[in-house]
Amino acid sequence: MDNRKFIIEETPFVKGDVLISGSKNAALPIMAAALLTSEKCVLKNIPPLRDIIIMENILNILNVKTDFLTNNCVINIKGENLSPTLDHSELMGKIRASFLTAGSLLTRFGKAKLSLPGGCSIGTRPIDLHLKGFSKLGAEVSKEFGIVELKAKKLKGAEIYLDFPSVGATENIIMAAVKADGITTISNAAQEPEITDLCNFLIKMGAEIEGQGTDTVKITGVKELHGTEYTVIPDRIEAGTFMIIGAASGEVTVKGVRPDHLRPVVNKLSEMGASVTEKSDEITVKSTGRIKNADIKTLPYPGFPTDMQPQFMSLMTTGSGTGIINETIFENRFLHAGELNRMGADIKTEGNGAVIRGVERLTGTKIKATDLRAGAALIISAISAMGITEISNIEHIERGYYNIDKKLKNLGVKIKKC
Ligand code: EPZ
């Protein structure tokens, strides 16, 4: 952990526009999918976030040539000299998404050796569904000494049912199926927009995929995939986070977004009394006074996104009435509640449930970010809290929010990084 902090002063009213960056959770699997060809891929709208840089380092360890033009958010990837043995254990621990290279390595070489990804503060983050999918496609899977070893002479298309619509498992299985012999069908597949984006990238590389964005994805194996250019979708979670700042503290317009990816967030903010207006690629959210607390149940897409749960909990700490949150995706995603209670919130959590009783105001104090979205939640509360708030462990926040302090300053937020 480094010891940098955000110092945020009470900012009674914020107003302005935010240009939303490319989606971290689309960019990471798409960078892994670029390994499926030895030709060059040019990826655009890639934010130079810590997780993206670490993923680039992992590709470099795989002997993949990359050139990240961070000022233009463009990364060139050429997997010509890709090497199969991947021991990036020290990096694997830093981002779990590095396991998303498994499907591509298996497809490219018929083998892969990766460090077993660890859990994180929000949950144990198992990979059993990834491994079951690889086995169904004909791979031999071994898991010992903290290493996952995959081997397959030839991957064969299969019928795969996911016990849970896991985003990562759906992505990894698709990457393992695109050049398999025959047809693979994934039932109960994840439907997140980031899955659709990955499939659209693969289709541009020459893959044959149908049903992306639904619960049944069909992949017909092809012989070869070629290089291509691709622009990833905007980050719906960054957009949602700034929309909540508008609902809580003034008026924010998020630009360069896909409103169709933000239906659950728009719906909930409207239900809570915020004013929400949409144009083709921008959404304006205005505070209309004290919001009304509501109930939230997190679900796989198109249900309410778990990655927006902490930010909504922050919003509800000073709303009128009581809100109940049921977190059904991760087993430990309420760590932000304790930090918000230190600011004077009234939140009680038990298991996957949280009860938030709205109070008049929060007050600033020293708090710490425990994970990416929890950190974003603390920023939301710090903006409207009385006095000064000091948020430590901000490297968690910078994993998923590109230039967040600059974007907040443009809204008039009194924020300093030190
Ligand atoms: C992706 O994680 C996102 N990360 C997460 O965003 C997001 O919260 C999550 O999807 C759910 O939407 C990236 O895309 C890099 P899952 P992932 O596999 O793929 C269980 C953020 O803040 N599960 O859908 O790891 C698992 O335990 C991050 O940007 C299994 O049981 O999510 C969890 O309870 C946080 N076995 C649930 O599924 C498996 O093999 C959801 O996990 C895999 C998952």
Side-chain angles (χ1 to χ4, degrees), residues 22-30 165-168 170-171 174 189-203 209 211-215 217 230-239 257-265 299-308:
S23 163
K24 164 179 84 80
N25 291 351
L28 290 167
I30 286 172
S166 154
V167 171
T170 304
E171 291 166 342
I174 288 170
Q191 305 176 51
E192 274 70 2
E194 294 75 27
I195 307 270
T196 303
D197 216 28
L198 168 65
C199 290
N200 291 341
F201 170 63
L202 289 166
I203 290 165
I209 304 173
Q212 61 271 28
T214 75
D215 64 357
V217 180
Y230 193 76
T231 301
V232 305
I233 52 172
D235 195 312
R236 60 191 168 103
I237 306 300
E238 183 194 24
V257 298
R258 287 276 304 267
D260 56 320
H261 293 167
L262 284 151
R263 287 278 150 264
V265 173
L299 288 167
Y301 195 90
F304 187 95
T306 175
D307 290 351
M308 286 301 304

Side-chain angles (χ1 to χ4, degrees), residues 235-299:
D235 195 312
R236 60 191 168 103
I237 306 300
E238 183 194 24
T241 304
F242 278 101
M243 287 161 67
I244 288 186
I245 293 174
S249 304
E251 178 180 337
V252 172
T253 297
V254 289
K255 290 180 171 275
V257 298
R258 287 276 304 267
D260 56 320
H261 293 167
L262 284 151
R263 287 278 150 264
V265 173
V266 168
N267 175 60
K268 195 51 71 177
L269 286 175
S270 307
E271 180 189 338
M272 294 163 97
S275 142
V276 185
T277 46
E278 287 183 23
K279 287 191 189 143
S280 60
D281 68 346
E282 58 182 64
I283 299 175
T284 298
V285 180
K286 271 188 218 164
S287 161
T288 59
R290 197 177 186 194
I291 57 114
K292 298 186 297 297
N293 280 344
D295 296 344
I296 285 175
K297 179 175 184 178
T298 63
L299 288 167

Side-chain angles (χ1 to χ4, degrees), residues 69 297 327:
L69 312 171
K297 179 175 184 178
E327 171 55 65

